[in-house]
Amino acid sequence: MKVTINDVAKHAGVSMKTVSRVINKEPSVRKKTYDQVMLAVKELNYQPNTAARNLAGTSSFAIGLVYDNPNAYYIIDMQNGVLSRCKEEGYELVIHPCNAQQEDMQAEIATMIKRSRLAGLVLTPPLSEQQPIIDMLDELGVSYVRLLSGHNEDDAEKARNCIYVDDFAAAYEITEHLITLGHKHIAFVCGDEEHKSTTERLAGYKQALADHQIAFNEAFVHNGTYSFESGVQGAKALLEDGNRKQITAILGGNDEVAAGALFAARLMNIEIPAQLSISGFEDSPFSRQTWPKLTTAHQANDVISEHAARLLFSKTRGSRNQDKDIITTFTPSMVVRESTGPAPQ
Amino acid sequence: MKVTINDVAKHAGVSMKTVSRVINKEPSVRKKTYDQVMLAVKELNYQPNTAARNLAGTSSFAIGLVYDNPNAYYIIDMQNGVLSRCKEEGYELVIHPCNAQQEDMQAEIATMIKRSRLAGLVLTPPLSEQQPIIDMLDELGVSYVRLLSGHNEDDAEKARNCIYVDDFAAAYEITEHLITLGHKHIAFVCGDEEHKSTTERLAGYKQALADHQIAFNEAFVHNGTYSFESGVQGAKALLEDGNRKQITAILGGNDEVAAGALFAARLMNIEIPAQLSISGFEDSPFSRQTWPKLTTAHQANDVISEHAARLLFSKTRGSRNQDKDIITTFTPSMVVRESTGPAPQ
DNA sequence: AGTTAAAATGACAACGCTGTCAAATAGCTA
DNA sequence: TAGCTATTTGACAGCGTTGTCATTTTAACT
C-alpha cells in the first residue's frame, strides 16, 4: 500500500540515498543506476512523501503566493502561472490572500513562512511595494520575487528579484493611440493612488501628451480605486462637470474602471465610441465582455507570473536549473477594439 | 532563531508531549498547565513546524480543493471560503485546478493525495459529479466533501458528504418571476449539458412553466456552455430564428451567459428590459457590472465553500469539533435588478 | 600495471513532531 | 489514612526523507 524510498531502494538494489539522489535529480548518478531506480519507481508507483522531504531537507518544497487584490481574473492568472511552474518543479503552492492595510502584515507573512518553511515567495502588487515586508523577508533570508510596475532599472542588485510590467509604456501607447485619433481632451480615471502602477500609468499618459504638445490638465484626472464602482463614479464626476463638452476620451485605470466608465456613459446617454472613446488596461476577459468591447493594453498575467516563479526557482535551487530565458520586463501591447474611435468634431 | 517544541517544553517546565497536547487542543490538560504552556508559546513566539506534524501525525494538516471551472469569480470565492475555515483550524490548503476531460484524472488526484497525505478533499462541480473519482476516493479511504447541484435527498448515507445548491428552486423562482411579469415565451440558454446544475435549472424552469399552464417549447431551449461567448451565440440563435417575435425573456445558464445574451441583444438593437428581459444565475460581481445590471439568483459561493470545509473537518478531526451548524443545502434567492421587466405587449 | 584523483555510492544520524504506553498525581470512598 | 480509580503527565520510539561523511568504484594518468 504505502511505498517508501526504502522499498524502492531494495527493489532497485541500491541504497536509499541513491534513490534520493535520483528523485532529486542530483548529479553524480551513473546513467545505468539512474535507469534502474527510475524503473523501480515506476514499477512500485512510488510517491515521495512531501512532509518527510520538507522535514529532512534544508528547505521545503513549497513556495508561497501572497496577494491583496480584489480582481479575481488577475489572481487566477497569477495562481495558474505560478502553479504551472510549481508542477514542473515538483513544488507545492501555498496561496495567501491578505489585507495590505492590516497592521501586522509582516508578522503574518513571517508566521506563514516559518510554519511551512517556504522555499520562497512571490509577491504581487501592492504588497510587493511595501518596504517593511521586503525588509522582513531580507532579514529572514527568504528568497522572493516581486512583481512590480515600472521597468528594469540600473540598480541591478535590486532588479535581481523583480519582474516588471512597464505600465508607463503601455499608458504612453494608449494615449498616443487616442491622440492619433484626433483626441485632444483626454481624461484619466486613476486606480488606487498608492499603487505604483497608478503613478506609472499616469506618468506615461502625461509624457504622451507632452510629446504631442498637448497641455496637461489637472482637472482631467480623477483619483479613484481599481474597481468598477470607482470607474462609474470617476467618469460621472468628469463628465458631469462643465468639462463634458471638452472631454472626448477617457483612460480607465484598468479594465474594470473602464467598464465602469462605459456604464456611466450609458447612463448619461453618451454613445461609445462616437461621442466618447474609452480604454482600459490589462486585457482581462472582462474587456471582451463589455459592450462595446474595450480597447486596452494586453498584459499576460499568467505568463508574467510563470516567469516570476522561474526567477524564484532559479535562485532557490542553487546552481542547477539556471534558467536563462527569464524575461524580467514585460511591456503590455495595445489591443484596439470597439471602445475607441476618432474624436468627434 | 528557530524555536522547537522542545524549547517551549523546557521554558514551560513540562514535557514535549504536553506542549503537543496543548497546541493540538487535546483534552486532559489541566488548565494551569495549559496556561503555562500557552505563555511559553507566546513568549518564545513558537510556530509549529507543519512538515514535522504532517510526518509524525496520522494525517497531515492539509486539505485539497479540486476544481475545473473557468469562472474566476467562482473559484476565488471557493478558495476564500475554504481558506477561511482552514485558517481557523490551522490547516493548509492545496489548490488543484484540473481538466475534467483528462484521461487519467483519478490517477492525478490520487497522486496529489498521496504526496501531500491530504486529510481531505473538497470537490467542486463538475468533478464532484464524476463517479470514477468518487470511487477512487472511497477506495483510498480519504474523506471528501462534494459540492453538488440538487437538494439533500433521502439517501442519507451519501448525503453525509455532500453540500447541495438547489438550482431547481432557483430556476423555478426566476421563471416564476418572469411569468408574473407577464412573460409567456421564455427561452433558456443552457450551460454545459453534462453539468448537473444545467439539468436542475432546466427542470426548475420547466416545472414553473408547467405550474403556470405554459406549454414547454423545445425550440426555446438552446444548449451551450457556461461562457460569455456561448451566451452571445445562444441568444443570437434564439432571437434570429423566426421565434424572435415571440420570445420576450431569456434565462441565462449563469451570469456570464446572461451577460452574453445582453451583448447579443445590444448588437441586434433590442432594448433591455423594454423589449426583452434577461436573467442570470449566481450573482457573481459580474452581474452588477453589466448594463443594465442583471436580475439573478444570489448564490454565496464563499459561504457555501466554507460550509463544505466545515463538513470536511467535522469528519476529519474525529470526535472533537462536532460542528452542528453545518448547512448542507443552500437555496439561492432571487435578486431583482434592471434586466427584467414587464413583458411587452 | 601502479598510482592518484575524481566520481559514485552507502551508512547512519538527524529533522521536529506525535502515537503509544507506562508512570505519576489527583480525587474519591470507606 | 489506606486503597482504588480517573485524570494528567512524561519517556521514548519512529514517521520517511535528506545531509554528512566515509567508503568504494571508476577513470586518468605515469
Side-chain angles (χ1 to χ4, degrees):
Chain A
M1 187 70 238
K2 198 187 303 174
V3 184
T4 74
I5 204 169
N6 193 28
D7 302 325
V8 178
K10 279 183 193 145
H11 196 87
V14 297
S15 74
M16 278 166 53
K17 182 65 214 187
T18 299
V19 177
S20 172
R21 288 195 178 93
V22 170
I23 60 176
N24 287 297
K25 298 197 178 58
E26 285 178 33
S28 307
V29 176
R30 207 163 302 163
K31 173 108 181 43
K32 195 183 129 206
T33 316
Y34 180 91
D35 292 339
Q36 274 175 53
V37 172
M38 283 311 268
L39 184 68
V41 166
K42 283 249 165 58
E43 287 187 356
L44 301 179
N45 186 27
Y46 165 68
Q47 303 297 342
N49 178 316
T50 311
R53 304 221 290 170
N54 290 351
L55 182 58
T58 315
S59 91
S60 88
F61 286 77
I63 63 171
L65 175 65
V66 186
Y67 51 86
D68 168 27
N69 194 314
N71 187 173
Y73 290 121
Y74 181 83
I75 299 304
I76 291 289
D77 274 349
M78 284 292 152
Q79 288 182 357
N80 289 343
V82 175
L83 222 34
S84 76
R85 202 72 223 151
C86 283
K87 208 168 191 174
E88 208 86 8
E89 306 269 351
Y91 272 60
E92 279 180 1
L93 178 65
V94 176
I95 56 175
H96 195 87
C98 57
N99 180 358
Q101 310 302 344
Q102 197 180 311
E103 249 333 304
D104 51 349
M105 200 61 258
Q106 308 137 50
E108 189 182 314
I109 296 179
T111 297
M112 171 183 84
I113 294 172
K114 281 190 204 153
R115 291 177 76 110
S116 302
R117 290 180 77 222
L118 295 183
L121 225 57
V122 174
L123 297 165
T124 64
L127 275 78
S128 56
E129 295 160 6
Q130 299 190 357
Q131 197 55 45
I133 294 181
I134 306 304
D135 291 341
M136 179 273 287
L137 293 174
D138 283 334
E139 199 170 324
L140 244 63
V142 184
S143 49
Y144 57 86
V145 168
R146 302 160 69 188
L147 252 39
L148 254 22
S149 180
H151 52 275
N152 208 323
E153 291 158 43
D154 33 333
D155 190 349
E157 197 58 38
K158 287 194 69 175
R160 205 162 295 159
N161 39 263
C162 296
I163 299 273
Y164 292 95
V165 174
D166 196 342
D167 288 308
F168 179 96
Y172 189 97
E173 191 182 2
I174 291 187
T175 309
E176 197 164 47
H177 160 72
L178 291 169
I179 294 172
T180 307
L181 285 170
H183 295 274
K184 296 209 158 36
H185 302 286
I186 306 171
F188 196 152
V189 182
C190 293
D192 304 67
E193 276 188 281
E194 56 277 19
H195 289 215
K196 185 86 184 306
S197 59
T198 299
T199 16
E200 285 288 321
R201 286 171 185 167
L202 193 56
Y205 154 80
K206 283 184 186 174
Q207 187 65 51
L209 292 181
D211 288 356
H212 289 268
Q213 288 81 44
I214 298 179
F216 168 68
N217 185 344
E218 186 76 55
F220 286 1
V221 175
H222 181 273
N223 293 315
T225 64
Y226 279 127
S227 71
F228 182 86
E229 258 322 305
S230 174
V232 177
Q233 284 166 21
K236 267 192 194 167
L238 286 166
L239 298 172
E240 278 173 355
D241 197 6
N243 299 315
R244 175 160 173 189
K245 294 169 288 293
Q246 291 189 52
I247 295 176
T248 63
I250 293 181
L251 244 70
N254 65 4
D255 288 335
E256 294 201 72
V257 171
L262 220 49
F263 188 91
R266 185 152 304 287
L267 286 180
M268 301 172 78
N269 274 309
I270 299 173
E271 292 228 343
I272 312 293
Q275 296 174 269
L276 180 73
S277 286
I278 293 180
S279 91
F281 279 98
E282 284 185 30
D283 191 23
S284 76
F286 204 70
S287 62
R288 268 156 276 145
Q289 301 178 169
T290 56
W291 195 88
K293 294 181 180 174
L294 284 172
T295 289
T296 185
H298 179 68
Q299 179 179 327
N301 288 321
D302 50 351
V303 178
I304 294 173
S305 63
E306 208 239 304
H307 279 261
R310 263 174 210 253
L311 183 55
L312 185 58
F313 283 124
S314 79
K315 306 192 312 173
T316 298
R317 302 283 291 271
S319 50
R320 84 168 155 286
N321 190 337
Q322 277 312 352
D323 206 325
K324 272 301 152 210
D325 305 329
I326 305 173
I327 305 171
T328 55
T329 298
F330 289 83
T331 306
S333 63
M334 196 171 57
V335 182
V336 180
R337 298 211 182 87
E338 294 97 50
S339 68
T340 53
Q345 298 317 319
Chain B
M1 190 69 239
K2 198 187 303 175
V3 184
T4 75
I5 205 170
N6 194 27
D7 301 325
V8 179
K10 280 183 194 147
H11 195 87
V14 297
S15 74
M16 278 165 56
K17 182 67 216 187
T18 298
V19 177
S20 172
R21 288 196 177 91
V22 170
I23 60 175
N24 287 299
K25 297 197 177 58
E26 285 176 32
S28 310
V29 176
R30 206 164 302 161
K31 172 108 179 47
K32 195 182 130 205
T33 317
Y34 181 90
D35 291 340
Q36 274 175 55
V37 173
M38 283 312 268
L39 185 67
V41 166
K42 284 249 166 54
E43 287 187 357
L44 300 179
N45 186 29
Y46 166 68
Q47 303 298 340
N49 177 318
T50 311
R53 304 221 288 169
N54 290 351
L55 184 57
T58 315
S59 92
S60 89
F61 285 77
I63 64 171
L65 175 66
V66 186
Y67 52 86
D68 169 26
N69 193 313
N71 188 174
Y73 290 120
Y74 180 82
I75 299 304
I76 290 289
D77 274 350
M78 283 294 151
Q79 288 182 356
N80 289 342
V82 174
L83 224 33
S84 75
R85 202 73 223 150
C86 282
K87 208 168 190 172
E88 208 86 7
E89 306 269 352
Y91 271 60
E92 279 182 0
L93 177 65
V94 176
I95 55 174
H96 195 87
C98 57
N99 179 0
Q101 310 302 346
Q102 198 180 310
E103 249 334 302
D104 51 350
M105 200 62 257
Q106 307 137 51
E108 188 182 314
I109 297 179
T111 298
M112 172 182 83
I113 294 172
K114 281 189 203 154
R115 291 177 75 111
S116 303
R117 291 179 76 222
L118 295 183
L121 224 55
V122 174
L123 297 165
T124 65
L127 276 80
S128 56
E129 295 159 7
Q130 299 192 356
Q131 197 54 46
I133 293 181
I134 307 304
D135 290 341
M136 180 273 288
L137 293 175
D138 284 334
E139 199 169 326
L140 245 61
V142 184
S143 48
Y144 56 86
V145 168
R146 301 160 68 190
L147 252 40
L148 254 23
S149 180
H151 53 276
N152 209 324
E153 292 157 43
D154 32 333
D155 189 348
E157 196 57 38
K158 287 193 69 175
R160 204 162 294 159
N161 38 262
C162 296
I163 298 274
Y164 292 95
V165 173
D166 196 343
D167 288 307
F168 179 96
Y172 189 97
E173 190 181 4
I174 291 186
T175 308
E176 196 164 50
H177 160 72
L178 290 169
I179 295 173
T180 308
L181 285 170
H183 294 275
K184 297 208 155 37
H185 302 286
I186 305 172
F188 196 154
V189 181
C190 294
D192 303 66
E193 276 187 281
E194 57 277 19
H195 289 216
K196 184 87 185 306
S197 58
T198 298
T199 17
E200 285 288 322
R201 286 172 185 166
L202 193 56
Y205 155 80
K206 283 184 184 173
Q207 188 63 52
L209 291 181
D211 287 356
H212 290 269
Q213 287 81 42
I214 298 179
F216 168 69
N217 184 345
E218 186 77 56
F220 285 0
V221 174
H222 182 272
N223 293 315
T225 65
Y226 280 127
S227 71
F228 182 86
E229 257 323 305
S230 173
V232 177
Q233 284 166 21
K236 267 191 193 168
L238 286 167
L239 297 172
E240 279 174 353
D241 196 5
N243 299 316
R244 174 161 172 185
K245 295 170 287 294
Q246 291 190 51
I247 295 176
T248 62
I250 293 181
L251 245 70
N254 66 3
D255 289 334
E256 294 201 73
V257 172
L262 220 49
F263 187 92
R266 185 152 304 287
L267 286 180
M268 300 171 78
N269 274 310
I270 299 173
E271 293 228 343
I272 313 292
Q275 297 176 266
L276 180 73
S277 284
I278 293 180
S279 90
F281 279 99
E282 285 185 30
D283 191 24
S284 76
F286 206 69
S287 62
R288 267 156 276 145
Q289 302 178 166
T290 55
W291 194 89
K293 293 180 180 175
L294 285 172
T295 289
T296 187
H298 180 69
Q299 180 180 328
N301 288 321
D302 50 351
V303 178
I304 295 173
S305 63
E306 208 238 304
H307 279 260
R310 264 174 209 253
L311 183 55
L312 186 59
F313 283 124
S314 79
K315 305 192 313 170
T316 298
R317 301 286 290 270
S319 52
R320 82 167 156 287
N321 191 337
Q322 277 312 352
D323 206 325
K324 273 300 152 212
D325 305 330
I326 305 173
I327 305 170
T328 56
T329 299
F330 288 82
T331 306
S333 63
M334 197 171 56
V335 182
V336 180
R337 297 213 181 87
E338 292 98 51
S339 68
T340 52
Q345 296 317 319

